[in-house]
Amino acid sequence: RSTLFPYTTLFRSPSPRYSETWDVSVVLHYLQGLSPVGTLKLKELTIKLVTLILLVSGQRDQTVHLLDFSNMRVSTDSYTFLFTKLLKQTRPGFSNPTVTLTAFRDSRLCVVTTLKEYISRTEPLRGWESQLLVSYTKPHKAVSRDTIGRWVKTVLSSAGIDTKKFKPHSTRAAAVSAASHASVSLDEILKTVGWSSESTFGKFYKPVLRESRFPSSVLETAYSWTASYMCNSLCIKSSMVELVQLLPVN
């Protein structure tokens, strides 16, 4: 009896990882609450930093896991990380992407402010560890990709995101979608996240999101939530005033 699979199974086109994604502004609003960074516990500081890096860079957790002081370049308002190891998207003819973290106007969402505090706080704890991300508990060794994933899951869950539906790697789709909806050019998105063709973007990420320039456009979505909340509050107050005015006077 033939055991060949149908051609439709063998040559099935890949489908989008998600048909929709979570609203970036919801998570950013939660991260704003983890401020000022100087008052945070090391755990809170760590998980905030990891989530901000993932969102403003659009990178995979593997890439963030490989951030290393030996490949870090510092300027006045930014940090740039290079990669010497192979990444998942590494391929012949294309160089590894760089991750550049730039300052943002709101210190509560500024990845540079958060990173500076993290470096200062972990310097006396890490010993000879050159990997950027280390455990917030003793002995403060370099962490694995799985640990980073758990950190991100903690943030998403705390922010109210359904972590049964959306896994930690969904930050990539959410960030790319926020940038796309903010009219960041396709070329800029491809360059930032390290994709070589439009087809990757179209097949896996274009169908997602509904809210919200890399990286600032991702952070700006925090204010769409605030503006919407204020607008709704004002509308409710206005309606209440009108209602009171219509009530009969005794």
Side-chain angles (χ1 to χ4, degrees), residues 73-84:
R73 307 291 181 266
V74 184
S75 66
T76 304
D77 59 354
S78 69
Y79 289 83
T80 298
F81 291 88
L82 311 176
F83 297 95
T84 55

Side-chain angles (χ1 to χ4, degrees), residues 135-193:
S135 174
Y136 49 74
T137 59
K138 293 181 180 181
H140 306 293
K141 297 297 183 181
V143 296
S144 66
R145 289 176 57 186
D146 290 339
T147 297
I148 292 175
R150 287 193 294 270
W151 290 348
V152 176
K153 183 178 180 179
T154 297
V155 171
L156 296 183
S157 179
S158 298
I161 303 301
D162 184 359
T163 53
K164 291 183 179 180
K165 180 177 182 181
F166 297 110
K167 304 305 179 183
H169 63 252
S170 65
T171 53
R172 187 166 165 89
V176 167
S177 300
S180 177
H181 283 263
S183 300
V184 177
S185 70
L186 178 60
D187 287 343
E188 187 174 354
I189 291 176
L190 296 180
K191 180 181 179 181
T192 301
V193 303

Side-chain angles (χ1 to χ4, degrees), residues 90-94:
T90 301
R91 55 206 170 279
F94 293 91

